[in-house]
Amino acid sequence: NRVGRSLRSGSTRTIGLISGLTHITVGVGTLFFRRLITAKIAVPRLLAIAWLACGAGLVILIASSSLTGVTVGSLLNGAGCGIMLPTLLTWNMSTLPAERRGLGTGAWTASFFLGNFLNPLIVLSLAANVGGRAGAVNVFGWLLLIVAVVTLAGSFTKRTPQPELAS
């Protein structure tokens, strides 16, 4: 696949640098989350932004035939994850009464790590049907883009008020 060829053209040091920068952009995304909630952006729109960045990052990553493209896709995906994680956690906590937030945080954390465990199993299962791991990642990228569009469209409909996130 293109990503494999792109990464093989780089040194292990370059690949490690790209990986490290990607992890840093998750942290940058979480810092950007603070600005977004201060701007009073509604949760569905925050999630749409996060899923758009994650999905676009994966699609760019898979479509790339250069280290530059792989880097851009990885960084965009990392920033989206950095926005998504605190949005989901804060949204979850804001719906729970104060006396249940410890339990909620524990359940959220357990779910997060269960997802980390199940992810490679799901990707490998899907990979058998879509031409390999790159194909599976591409499917997830496009699914995230679709979910982002649906979430954004749904954010413009009138619904019952949601709890406001603390800024």
Side-chain angles (χ1 to χ4, degrees):
N1 71 30
R2 291 181 191 183
V3 175
R5 283 191 299 275
S6 296
L7 293 177
R8 280 192 291 280
S9 67
S11 69
T12 54
R13 179 181 173 148
T14 301
I15 295 166
L17 182 61
I18 293 168
S19 179
L21 288 172
T22 299
H23 292 295
I24 289 171
T25 60
V26 173
V28 170
T30 61
L31 296 173
F32 190 57
F33 163 79
R34 173 74 175 164
R35 290 186 184 268
L36 293 172
I37 62 166
T38 302
K40 303 288 185 196
I41 296 174
V43 169
R45 292 183 186 151
L46 284 173
L47 289 174
I49 291 166
W51 292 332
L52 178 67
C54 288
L58 291 178
V59 169
I60 291 167
L61 172 76
I62 296 304
S64 292
S65 58
S66 70
L67 280 174
T68 302
V70 168
T71 303
V72 169
S74 297
L75 296 178
L76 186 56
N77 179 267
C81 289
I83 295 168
M84 178 181 50
L85 292 172
T87 301
L88 289 172
L89 183 59
T90 305
W91 186 26
N92 180 42
M93 293 302 105
S94 70
T95 62
L96 294 174
E99 65 274 4
R100 304 293 293 182
R101 289 185 183 158
L103 178 65
T105 303
W108 191 93
T109 303
S111 298
F112 176 78
F113 285 106
L114 178 62
N116 281 316
F117 171 76
L118 293 175
N119 179 276
L121 302 175
I122 294 167
V123 168
L124 289 176
S125 296
L126 182 60
N129 299 307
V130 294
R133 287 178 295 192
V137 171
N138 196 38
V139 167
F140 283 114
W142 284 105
L143 286 173
L144 282 165
L145 291 172
I146 292 166
V147 169
V149 169
V150 170
T151 302
L152 186 60
S155 75
F156 291 104
T157 61
K158 294 277 185 196
R159 302 214 176 189
T160 56
Q162 296 180 21
E164 196 167 307
L165 299 180
S167 47

